[in-house]
């Protein structure tokens, strides 16, 4: 689950810490996409049920553009 892309790693880390603090989601990481682009993602998930469960935990954050990305 793609949460958001950030220009600074510190900002991405703050988002990661907020999600960890306010939920019990533990599959969260920051990917470095380029020198100035960092992505906060959740997962991977082995089945649709576990993905849906974690996705629903994010409802309280009112994110506007959460994406589900398939890793191949």
């Amino acid at each position: 689950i793609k949460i958001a892309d950030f220009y600074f790693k510190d900002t991405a880390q703050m988002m990661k810490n907020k999600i960890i603090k306010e939920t019990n989601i533990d599959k969260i990481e920051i990917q470095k996409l380029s020198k100035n682009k960092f992505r906060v993602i959740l997962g991977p998930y082995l089945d649709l049920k576990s993905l849906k469960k974690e996705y629903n935990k994010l409802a309280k954050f009112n994110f506007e553009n959460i994406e589900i990305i398939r890793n191949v």
Side-chain angles (χ1 to χ4, degrees):
I1 301 173
K2 174 185 161 193
I3 301 299
D5 291 338
F6 297 92
Y7 190 75
F8 297 106
K9 186 174 183 179
D10 291 346
T11 311
Q13 187 65 49
M14 286 190 308
M15 176 57 69
K16 177 181 176 179
N17 293 342
K18 180 176 177 152
I19 293 170
I20 290 170
K21 182 180 176 183
E22 297 184 23
T23 67
N24 62 351
I25 296 173
D26 59 353
K27 293 182 177 185
I28 185 168
E29 67 178 70
I30 297 172
Q31 293 179 334
K32 183 175 183 176
L33 303 176
S34 67
K35 180 181 174 184
N36 292 317
K37 190 170 185 180
F38 300 90
R39 178 172 288 165
V40 177
I41 62 165
L42 306 181
Y45 299 100
L46 300 176
D47 57 50
L48 190 58
K49 184 178 179 179
S50 60
L51 182 137
K52 182 179 177 183
K53 181 180 175 183
E54 300 293 278
Y55 185 86
N56 289 335
K57 289 179 187 177
L58 298 171
K60 68 177 168 180
F61 291 106
N62 295 317
F63 291 126
E64 292 183 19
N65 295 320
I66 295 177
E67 295 179 45
I68 297 175
I69 300 172
R70 182 173 179 227
N71 289 337
V72 186

